[in-house]
Amino acid sequence: MSAGFTRRSILAAMGGAGALGVLGLPLRAFANAVPSYYPAGYAEIIEASKKEGRLFIYSNMSAKSWAGIQRRFNELYPWINVEILELNSDELMERYMAERGTGAPTCDFLTSGALEKWFELMKKGEILAYDSPEKSYFPAWSMPQSGLYTIAIDPLLIVYNKLLLSEDKRPKGLENLAELVDANPDLFNGKIAVFGADVQTAGYLGHKDFVKLHGDKTWDWFSRFGPATKSESSTGVAVEKILSGEYVAGYFLASGIPWQAAKDPARSAVIGWNFVNDGQPLIIRASAIPAGATNVNSAKLWLDVTLSFEGQKGLVEGGRTPLREDVKSSDVNGDFTYASVIETVGEKNVLKPSYDPTVFDDYDAFVKRWREAFARK
C-alpha cells in the first residue's frame, strides 16, 4: 500500500457513496484528498474546514521550508488560506503563551525547535490531543504525547572551507578536530565556529548528548579545540563566515543551509561538510495544534499533509530532513532522510533527540563547565 496521498477510492471505508453525499463532499474530491488507510470520519474534518477557510501558523521554519508542503496542501484544500508568521523558536512560544494569557486570538499551528518550551506547553495542557492517521510511520521517540509530533530533524554537521583546508585537515569528528587543532594551532586558532552550549538549545543538546555518549574524555577534546572556537547564534551567519574565510570550519551547524549551499555551483566550490563520525547529533523540528487554536480542522489537515509521504518529501525542498521512516533517499533525488542518515552514520553513532525534561536539570552546571573548557587561554 502506498503511504502517500494518492488518487484512490475509499468507498468501502466510508460505507458507500451515501456517507459522502451527507457531507456534501464530491466523491472524486474526497478520494483524491486522503489515502485509503484514513478513518471513515475524516471526511467530516475536511467538510468542517470549509467553514473555517483560514489557517494561521507560528513557525521557526521559513515560508521556503514549507513551500513543498503548502503546494500539496493547496492542491488538496484550496479553500483554506494559509498564513505563516516566521519567528524564532523562543519568541513564537512566548507570543503564543502571552496571547493565551490575555485571551487574545492566537495561532492555529505551532512549529518550533525549542524543546524546553514544548515541555512547558505539555505541562500546562496547551497541546491539543490529536492522533494523526500518519503516526504509525514515525519513530515512537518522536511523539512524546498525543498531538505533539516531530516533523523533521536537522543533523548538526561539520562544515569547512575547502579552499583553506586540505583534505587531510578537514575534521571528520570531534576527536579528530582536537587532533587537528593540536597539530595545526595557527591554522585553526579563532577560526572554528560552533553553536555554543551557552547560546542556544541546539548547541546545548548537541554537546550534552556527545558527553553522554563518550563520557569524561569528551571534556579533554573540548579543552583542546574549545579555545580556538567562537560561538555563533545561527548557521546562516557561520556559513557566510566560512565562505568568506573568517572561519576555516565549524561544527554542530544545522544541516539545512550547508546542504543548500552544496547544491549551488559557486558555493559548493568553497563549502564542504561531513557528518560527525564519532557522534551525530540530531535536532528536532516539532509541531502541534495548540489548545488555543480557532481553525482546528484546518490545522489537522495541515498536520496530516506535513506528516504524509508527499508532505515529507516536500520538506526537502526547503532544506529540511524528513523524519518519516519510509521516506528513502531515492524518494528525494538522493537527498538525506532520517533513514539514510542512520544508514550512513551507523545507528550506534546517531544521537537521537530526547523528550526527557531532565536533560535540563543540570543546565547551569553543564554550561559553566563548557564555558571553562572553551575559554580563550
Side-chain angles (χ1 to χ4, degrees):
M1 180 187 297
S2 170
F5 280 72
T6 58
R7 296 175 177 267
R8 52 165 70 91
S9 172
I10 60 167
L11 276 174
M14 289 299 299
L20 293 173
V22 170
L23 294 172
L25 188 67
L27 170 61
R28 180 176 298 176
F30 189 80
N32 288 348
V34 299
S36 59
Y37 55 84
Y38 274 40
Y42 202 78
E44 298 174 8
I45 297 175
I46 296 174
E47 188 70 8
S49 75
K50 294 180 178 179
K51 298 181 178 69
E52 297 170 348
R54 181 177 186 259
L55 179 65
F56 190 29
I57 297 171
Y58 290 171
S59 172
N60 75 323
M61 289 169 28
S62 67
K64 181 181 178 181
S65 294
W66 288 109
I69 289 171
Q70 186 160 4
R71 185 174 60 252
R72 181 60 177 158
F73 187 81
N74 291 343
E75 291 171 357
L76 297 170
Y77 313 115
W79 58 86
I80 301 174
N81 179 42
V82 179
E83 301 170 62
I84 300 174
L85 179 61
E86 183 183 354
L87 301 164
N88 70 46
S89 287
D90 289 332
E91 184 182 5
L92 69 88
M93 291 294 204
E94 290 164 3
R95 176 172 176 150
Y96 169 75
M97 290 306 298
E99 289 166 344
R100 283 290 278 168
T102 62
T106 188
C107 66
D108 304 305
F109 194 83
L110 288 167
T111 295
S112 171
L115 189 60
E116 68 278 24
K117 298 295 185 180
W118 285 117
F119 293 145
E120 184 179 340
L121 262 62
M122 284 190 277
K123 185 176 181 180
K124 293 182 177 180
E126 286 293 330
I127 294 173
L128 185 75
Y130 177 60
D131 289 332
S132 170
E134 302 287 0
K135 66 180 294 185
S136 64
Y137 293 96
F138 288 78
W141 64 258
S142 71
M143 301 171 286
Q145 73 169 52
S146 176
L148 179 56
Y149 294 87
T150 308
I151 63 169
I153 49 96
D154 290 341
L156 296 180
L157 305 176
I158 293 172
V159 183
Y160 53 83
N161 185 310
K162 294 193 287 189
L163 303 182
L164 299 177
L165 293 181
S166 58
E167 192 162 347
D168 62 324
K169 293 181 176 63
R170 298 169 185 172
K172 306 293 191 300
L174 297 200
E175 182 178 18
N176 180 226
L177 179 59
E179 294 167 349
L180 289 170
V181 171
D182 288 344
N184 308 274
D186 292 338
L187 178 61
F188 287 96
N189 187 30
K191 298 274 190 170
I192 305 170
V194 68
F195 273 171
D198 60 347
V199 172
Q200 59 163 258
T201 301
Y204 171 77
L205 294 174
H207 288 90
K208 185 75 178 292
D209 288 344
F210 204 87
V211 170
K212 183 177 180 181
L213 178 66
H214 289 288
D216 282 343
K217 63 183 176 181
T218 316
W219 292 105
D220 173 60
W221 301 340
F222 289 170
S223 67
R224 287 155 63 189
F225 60 71
T229 303
K230 296 179 181 178
S231 286
E232 294 289 352
S233 60
S234 76
T235 294
V237 171
V239 168
E240 289 302 318
K241 290 182 179 181
I242 292 170
L243 280 163
S244 71
E246 183 173 340
Y247 294 126
V248 297
Y251 77 94
F252 286 3
L253 302 182
S255 58
I257 291 175
W259 282 350
Q260 293 296 304
K263 294 178 180 179
D264 176 81
R267 292 188 160 208
S268 66
V270 181
I271 284 285
W273 65 272
N274 290 321
F275 286 120
V276 186
N277 68 4
D278 47 6
Q280 177 57 63
L282 306 176
I283 61 173
I284 65 163
R285 303 279 179 170
S287 292
I289 303 167
T294 300
N295 303 300
V296 171
N297 295 287
S298 298
K300 289 178 179 178
L301 298 179
W302 180 269
L303 177 60
D304 293 337
V305 171
T306 299
L307 299 176
S308 74
F309 188 84
E310 293 299 326
Q312 289 282 292
K313 286 171 58 178
L315 281 171
V316 176
E317 294 180 27
R320 305 277 73 86
T321 305
L323 177 60
R324 186 177 165 118
E325 293 181 304
D326 61 338
V327 180
K328 309 301 182 186
S329 183
S330 57
D331 297 316
V332 289
N333 298 317
D335 282 322
F336 280 98
T337 68
Y338 175 67
S340 64
V341 168
I342 289 178
E343 182 180 353
T344 302
V345 179
E347 187 144 14
K348 67 181 178 63
N349 289 323
V350 174
L351 307 178
K352 296 177 183 177
S354 170
Y355 280 91
D356 178 5
T358 64
V359 72
F360 293 104
D361 284 354
D362 62 344
Y363 177 86
D364 290 340
F366 185 90
V367 167
K368 180 177 183 293
R369 187 173 182 183
W370 185 90
R371 285 174 174 162
E372 290 170 352
F374 279 69
R376 300 282 290 175
K377 301 297 192 284

